[in-house]
Amino acid sequence: MALRGVWQLQKLVVSYCNWGGSSRGIRAFMETELPAFQEKNPQLEIVPELIRGQHPHLKAFYKNKNQRVVCVKNMTPDDILLHATRLRNALGRKVVKLKTRAYSRAAGKGVLGFCFRRLGEK
Amino acid sequence: MATRRFLRALCRHAAAGADLVSLRRHFGAVTSIRSRSIIRPAIEQEKSLRHRDLWLLSSRRFCSVKTPEDDDMEDEYEEGEGGGDVDEVSDGEMAAGSRPHKREYTPEEKEAEASEIGYKVIGPLERSDRVFKAYEPVFAVVQIGSHQFKLSNRDCIFTERLKFCEVNDKVILNKVLLLGSPAQTIVGRPIVPEASVHAVVEEHALDAKVIIFKKKRRKNYRRTKGHRQELTKLRITDIRGIEKPEIPITKEKPVKVALKQEKVAEAA
């Protein structure tokens, strides 16, 4: 996600276990997909973290001090890449049901009003 | 039943290219006594079998990993037997190992599909691009896919996921239905031909989860399904195709400051 050209995701922590079976996918992801992902996103700080005996997860830290955690246990490297890409594409904003799909500064102001006035002139 | 099973096994081996000698060795006494009488009708039966059944009989898989073709074939088979529901798996939540083959688009196909929806990708946003301007009192009514929006500069809209653009890409929205400004209004029939709206892709995200709950009372039927829609957030940067007013909207602040200064001077 980029707010006016500024990337919002600052840091991505890749937590994995080097023994457990649920971390098999993320270990393969770290060997195959992670270098390419890191190259495509030089603005992003990617930190691998070893958490032995626990299930793997991805932790995302955003500029608005928000954190998002995604558990990636028993996933394939492709699925983990998809989740990592989603975290990178997203804002740190709280996911709320949208009431409208357009947020406008001009809504309710007279822009449409004076155009209709113009149309009504003889 | 035993004869049928035996015939199927024979067909499998025959299709795999086994000759009479190896078949006899495999099937032992039975084939040695009535080899000709069994194998000939077996082979004739094989010819009469449909291609699909032959394929299933001959290409027996011993591996638990299924290819998408296997899945399709087995699904077809299960339907005939009155099989149960095939689980629909949404795009965002694929089960491991069951991802369908991703379609690869050529650049021309991408452009064609994008233009059908109503947008065109220019390229990534550069640091040197000064795209985010001040608010201008000009609006446009634009159609993306099946949704229409009334847009002006610095607005944000959420559309359905636009496939062929990444975050921080510049995008042109071509289907402009109406343009308006304080001095002018341009109505399209149905589209204004040389008008365009420039935008930047801010975000590709998932909407909040919506729970789809189905129930039939007194029938022991209850289903719960979660759904998250994939959305794209666009920030509008420019509207082209209409004359923009030259004089900006005057603000009241300078007048207030002047009045305050006068009061202070009078007090003094």
Side-chain angles (χ1 to χ4, degrees):
Chain A
M1 155 73 198
L3 195 60
R4 295 168 200 266
V6 179
W7 288 98
Q8 293 299 299
L9 179 62
Q10 288 176 314
K11 190 168 148 190
L12 184 68
V13 176
V14 179
S15 304
Y16 69 102
C17 173
N18 57 356
W19 174 84
S22 57
S23 290
R24 203 182 302 150
I26 199 165
R27 289 196 293 264
F29 168 77
M30 286 169 74
E31 281 166 30
T32 54
E33 319 270 5
L34 192 61
F37 186 77
Q38 203 154 10
E39 268 181 48
K40 272 189 196 174
N41 302 286
Q43 78 285 351
L44 188 56
E45 184 193 342
I46 297 178
V47 178
E49 185 191 354
L50 181 70
I51 38 159
R52 215 175 135 77
Q54 293 174 50
H55 289 303
H57 55 266
L58 298 173
K59 244 192 230 176
F61 296 87
Y62 292 93
K63 272 204 171 164
N64 59 357
K65 320 282 182 198
N66 234 15
Q67 285 181 34
R68 272 174 68 173
V69 181
V70 178
C71 180
V72 292
K73 73 172 186 180
N74 296 320
M75 281 193 190
T76 60
D78 289 335
D79 291 333
I80 296 172
L81 179 66
L82 175 70
H83 279 288
T85 311
R86 278 215 185 115
L87 287 171
R88 193 252 346 214
N89 286 342
L91 238 194
R93 63 180 177 96
K94 187 178 174 185
V95 178
V96 176
K97 186 184 165 188
L98 294 172
K99 291 196 176 165
T100 47
R101 282 198 173 186
Y103 294 94
S104 170
R105 221 199 98 169
K109 292 209 172 176
V111 176
L112 199 55
F114 58 70
C115 287
F116 278 143
R117 228 181 296 136
R118 179 98 185 141
L119 281 171
E121 280 174 10
K122 287 183 185 174
Chain B
M1 279 300 290
T3 328
R4 211 177 172 190
R5 248 184 284 130
F6 177 67
L7 280 171
R8 278 202 171 167
L10 261 182
C11 292
R12 227 183 296 132
H13 284 270
D19 58 343
L20 265 178
V21 175
S22 60
L23 280 172
R24 273 183 196 170
R25 233 181 273 147
H26 187 81
F27 290 101
V30 180
T31 49
S32 67
I33 295 167
R34 286 178 289 165
S35 56
R36 282 181 200 167
S37 57
I38 287 173
I39 288 167
R40 217 177 274 153
I43 289 169
E44 278 167 8
Q45 202 178 30
E46 181 195 343
K47 282 178 193 168
S48 65
L49 280 173
R50 286 177 292 168
H51 271 292
R52 192 181 79 182
D53 295 337
L54 262 181
W55 185 87
L56 278 172
L57 291 171
S58 59
S59 58
R60 196 168 151 190
R61 309 274 163 135
F62 295 96
C63 179
S64 58
V65 174
K66 288 181 186 174
T67 62
E69 292 166 357
D70 280 343
D71 277 336
D72 289 340
M73 295 299 293
E74 289 191 12
D75 281 342
E76 274 182 48
Y77 233 67
E78 278 169 14
E79 269 169 24
E81 293 168 0
D85 299 323
V86 178
D87 283 329
E88 290 172 8
V89 185
S90 66
D91 243 347
E93 297 156 13
M94 285 283 178
S98 65
R99 183 176 291 278
H101 180 63
K102 268 186 190 173
R103 187 189 155 180
E104 284 174 9
Y105 293 87
T106 60
E108 293 85 22
E109 277 177 341
K110 281 186 190 179
E111 269 204 53
E113 279 213 33
S115 65
E116 258 187 62
I117 294 169
Y119 72 99
K120 183 183 168 189
V121 183
I122 302 176
L125 184 72
E126 306 293 332
R127 277 192 85 92
S128 52
D129 289 339
R130 296 285 165 220
V131 181
F132 301 105
K133 300 175 201 166
Y135 170 70
E136 289 157 357
V138 176
F139 78 94
V141 174
V142 144
Q143 182 169 348
I144 304 175
S146 62
H147 303 280
Q148 295 180 4
F149 300 93
K150 178 185 144 281
L151 306 172
S152 52
N153 199 9
R154 293 170 98 185
D155 284 355
C156 285
I157 51 168
F158 285 92
T159 65
E160 300 299 321
R161 173 71 168 265
L162 302 177
K163 257 196 232 175
F164 307 115
C165 53
E166 300 286 330
V167 174
N168 247 356
D169 272 355
K170 285 186 283 190
V171 149
I172 294 179
L173 308 174
N174 296 318
K175 280 190 188 172
V176 179
L177 309 173
L178 188 94
L179 286 165
S181 78
Q184 211 182 358
T185 307
I186 303 172
V187 180
R189 294 182 182 185
I191 293 171
V192 182
E194 286 170 11
S196 62
V197 173
H198 291 245
V200 170
V201 178
E202 276 212 340
E203 185 184 15
H204 284 309
L206 295 173
D207 201 4
K209 187 180 272 189
V210 168
I211 293 176
I212 298 137
F213 180 67
K214 297 182 187 177
K215 178 180 168 147
K216 289 190 199 273
R217 56 184 182 178
R218 300 182 294 274
K219 304 297 172 196
N220 208 24
Y221 171 78
R222 190 167 66 174
R223 298 281 181 272
T224 311
K225 189 173 177 180
H227 177 72
R228 295 192 75 181
Q229 188 67 13
E230 287 185 332
L231 300 174
T232 298
K233 187 179 178 188
L234 298 174
R235 186 174 287 271
I236 309 302
T237 52
D238 196 17
I239 296 174
R240 291 186 191 176
I242 191 167
E243 285 173 16
K244 290 166 194 177
E246 288 173 7
I247 304 161
I249 296 169
T250 52
K251 292 181 183 177
E252 293 178 10
K253 279 181 186 175
V255 177
K256 278 184 182 171
V257 168
L259 279 170
K260 272 188 182 174
Q261 281 176 355
E262 278 174 15
K263 281 182 183 174
V264 164
E266 278 172 15

